[in-house]
Amino acid sequence: MAKTKKAPRPKAVTPRGFRDYMGAEVTERTEMLGRIAEVYRLYGFDPLETSAVETVEALGKFLPDVDRPNEGVFAWEENGDWLALRYDLTAPLARVAAQYRNDLPSPYRRYAMGPVWRNEKPGPGRFRQFYQCDADTVGAPSVAADAEICGMLCEALEAAGIERGDYAVRINNRKVLNGVMEVAGILDPADPEAFARERGIVLRAIDKLDRLGPEGVRLLLGGGRKDESGDFTKGAGLTDEQAAVVMGFVEAGLDRSDAGRAPAAVLARLRDLVGESAEGRAGVDELEHIAELLAAQGFGPDRATIDPSVVRGLGYYTGPVFEAELTFEITGDDGKPRQFGSVAGGGRYDDLVKRFTGQAVPATGISIGVDRLLAALHATGKTKGEADGPVVVTVMDRDRLPAYQAMASELRAAGIRAEVYLGNPKNFGNQLKYADKRGSPVAVIEGEEEAGRGVVQLKDLKLGAKIAASATLEEWKGQPAQREVPRADLVAELGRMLAAHDD
């Protein structure tokens, strides 16, 4: 009789393009999002949690990277319907705003935080699942809503740990670029399809400003550009005069050395560029109003500023567009210093809810890249990338386990993370190894002899490791890593030790 073949054991591997988040990473993210959520709450925004799954029909054609959502999302068919994991938090908001429009207040302010999924080719730092943190206002046609979102973003970044002066919220307007292109004779707004096609070509050229600089963009607006390797990229085919008008728009806010230029000098330059274009003038008026509202709330050009060089998203949004950029330098993969770059983006999207209702519903919002913001906090030393584990109460005598549990309960009641060692207590060295692996700052030790005298031993594991790594013999003697304290003073002494670690 043939032997039954055993089924192979499953491989313990993370699927390609996905990752696991361990202890400190989850804690840091939760704490950071909690601080951001408090800012949103203070502004009157309510939390919203939607299903991770939406119908493909509800997702629509709003995935920025592809024409059809099926090509960029994880989708499957069920009883004739196509379902998919959400690729952002905005499409579910549009569905909610339409589904509950008779029950929701208008305007409706909401924030949402959670994972989203993209069925894209993974790469270094590019995953198929990542976190987003959004805040949106639906039903407010005034750019006062856009100004509020930008101001709130400034406060959210500062609450997360980004210091004032290390970031800038830059604001542009799609209508201004449309007006500039109209004046330059690049396209006819009466032909929507040609308008969108030509604008897309110009936007792709402008979007390379940070990488190629003004001259590189100028070449891409014209005949084309050859890079250092000899590869040639065909340009948009604009005349020198047309390219000059577009470059005037892009460069209107490039001189950031004098914050006093913004917004008055930038707005004046933009008014010259849009000329008699009605759409362009409307866009400049909106930017001016946003700047006035921000200034009235205390958000000056050192925090939020008008910047026509911001083009990412102009093809998607219908009016104002914003980007939060971190301005401090880090060391790039090539070893050279570079600015950290963008951590958030957003803008006005007045057509999204209309897909469901047939009626135009104004909306504006912002999305923060959670992983990028956490990486920025690591780069500035605001988070350590690791967190202290709980205090470990060791077990010297199995019969005294209730007393050890009582110690842990007292510590928890005082707000101190604590656990009792639950492994085999026979080898005390293994208990300390466990505490080290947990990142525990202190171990509590109480044997029969200590219990008889009413004392406990507190072993400062962090200090001990520090002394062992670098201290001289004299320093070792002068800074004992273990001290004896009265059992009644356990909570107070531990609190002082932990506070000293935080200093």
Side-chain angles (χ1 to χ4, degrees):
M1 182 177 178
K3 291 184 178 180
T4 304
K5 212 172 185 180
K6 287 185 178 180
R9 292 174 179 165
K11 293 182 180 179
V13 296
T14 307
R16 186 168 176 263
F18 294 85
R19 59 163 298 192
D20 299 311
Y21 295 87
M22 309 298 283
E25 295 174 294
V26 177
T27 299
E28 288 175 352
R29 181 178 65 206
T30 301
E31 291 176 351
M32 183 189 75
L33 291 178
R35 295 192 296 270
I36 293 173
E38 180 59 19
V39 172
Y40 292 166
R41 190 189 69 82
L42 289 174
Y43 271 75
F45 284 65
D46 289 329
L48 172 67
E49 290 186 7
T50 60
S51 167
V53 177
E54 296 281 345
T55 66
V56 168
E57 182 183 32
L59 289 177
K61 299 180 180 180
F62 284 85
L63 187 61
D65 299 333
V66 295
D67 293 328
R68 293 189 301 111
N70 306 60
E71 297 176 355
V73 299
F74 292 97
W76 65 93
E77 189 176 15
E78 185 176 293
N79 298 326
D81 295 325
W82 277 91
L83 306 176
L85 290 173
R86 65 190 182 202
Y87 59 77
D88 69 5
L89 300 175
T90 308
L93 170 64
R95 190 260 305 160
V96 167
Q99 183 175 351
Y100 303 102
R101 60 186 179 276
N102 294 327
D103 302 317
L104 294 173
S106 184
Y108 172 50
R109 291 177 169 90
R110 85 87 175 87
Y111 68 88
M113 303 171 176
V116 297
W117 295 266
R118 302 277 174 93
N119 190 5
E120 300 172 337
K121 184 178 180 180
R126 187 181 181 91
F127 296 97
R128 290 170 166 174
Q129 176 180 322
F130 52 94
Y131 260 71
Q132 285 187 340
C133 170
D134 288 17
D136 297 78
T137 300
V138 179
S142 168
V143 292
D146 302 275
E148 180 180 69
I149 288 284
C150 291
M152 187 171 69
L153 176 59
C154 292
E155 295 202 27
L157 292 174
E158 293 175 18
I162 303 298
E163 294 183 3
R164 197 173 303 184
D166 280 346
Y167 74 89
V169 174
R170 308 193 189 282
I171 308 161
N172 197 1
N173 196 311
R174 169 171 163 174
K175 295 177 183 177
V176 179
L177 178 60
N178 288 352
V180 168
M181 295 177 72
E182 181 183 345
V183 168
I186 298 172
L187 45 81
D188 180 3
D191 185 349
E193 290 188 6
F195 192 95
R197 183 173 59 253
E198 295 298 324
R199 184 180 57 233
I201 297 173
V202 172
L203 282 173
R204 283 191 290 275
I206 299 174
D207 196 31
K208 295 179 174 61
L209 180 67
D210 288 343
R211 184 164 60 88
L212 302 180
E215 186 54 36
V217 174
R218 193 183 304 274
L219 291 172
L220 288 178
L221 290 173
R225 175 184 176 273
K226 182 182 289 188
D227 62 22
E228 295 177 355
S229 68
D231 290 339
F232 181 79
T233 302
K234 185 179 179 181
L238 306 188
T239 66
D240 290 344
E241 292 78 12
Q242 291 173 326
V245 174
V246 175
M247 289 305 300
F249 164 77
V250 174
E251 295 175 325
L254 281 184
D255 183 7
R256 298 167 182 164
S257 59
D258 179 10
R261 290 184 72 251
V266 176
L267 292 168
R269 176 62 178 144
L270 292 179
R271 288 197 189 282
D272 289 340
L273 288 170
V274 300
E276 296 302 313
S277 167
E279 184 175 14
R281 290 200 307 270
V284 177
D285 288 343
E286 289 180 358
L287 289 177
E288 183 175 35
H289 192 31
I290 289 173
E292 290 173 349
L293 291 168
L294 286 169
Q297 299 173 67
F299 300 101
D302 61 323
R303 301 167 80 183
T305 186
I306 306 302
D307 189 343
S309 67
V310 175
V311 296
R312 189 162 295 132
L314 281 182
Y316 174 72
Y317 296 108
T318 59
V321 58
F322 349 108
E323 187 171 73
E325 180 180 304
L326 303 189
T327 55
F328 57 82
E329 285 190 343
I330 60 172
T331 301
D333 295 336
D334 56 1
K336 297 178 181 179
R338 64 172 180 84
Q339 283 194 343
F340 189 91
S342 175
V343 293
R348 178 163 287 272
Y349 52 99
D350 287 347
D351 295 333
L352 194 56
V353 182
K354 184 178 181 180
R355 297 177 50 248
F356 296 94
T357 64
Q359 300 173 338
V361 179
T364 186
I366 193 77
S367 181
I368 296 175
V370 174
D371 291 333
R372 277 192 59 77
L373 185 52
L374 274 175
L377 295 176
H378 289 164
T380 56
K382 296 298 173 59
T383 58
K384 298 177 292 184
E386 58 184 29
D388 287 342
V391 169
V392 172
V393 178
T394 60
V395 177
M396 301 294 290
D397 183 348
R398 291 177 187 267
D399 293 337
R400 302 199 69 256
L401 192 58
Y404 299 139
Q405 293 286 10
M407 289 185 195
S409 294
E410 288 179 36
L411 295 175
R412 293 172 194 143
I416 298 173
R417 293 184 70 201
E419 66 172 72
V420 176
Y421 180 74
L422 296 179
N424 187 343
K426 186 174 182 180
N427 187 323
F428 182 71
N430 286 343
Q431 297 194 49
L432 294 183
K433 288 180 181 178
Y434 170 81
D436 284 336
K437 198 165 187 177
R438 291 285 281 129
S440 188
V442 179
V444 180
I445 305 168
E446 185 195 62
E448 184 177 351
E449 191 269 336
E450 285 89 1
R453 293 191 293 117
V455 299
V456 294
Q457 302 286 341
L458 300 182
K459 188 173 183 62
D460 193 327
L461 300 174
K462 291 186 73 172
L463 178 60
K466 184 178 179 182
I467 292 174
S470 60
T472 64
L473 180 60
E474 289 73 21
E475 290 172 328
W476 177 280
K477 292 178 179 177
Q479 298 186 69
Q482 184 167 317
R483 71 182 75 168
E484 183 177 282
V485 302
R487 169 66 180 84
D489 295 341
L490 170 64
V491 173
E493 286 295 330
L494 249 178
R496 279 191 280 271
M497 292 175 70
L498 297 178
H501 289 159
D502 293 335
D503 291 341

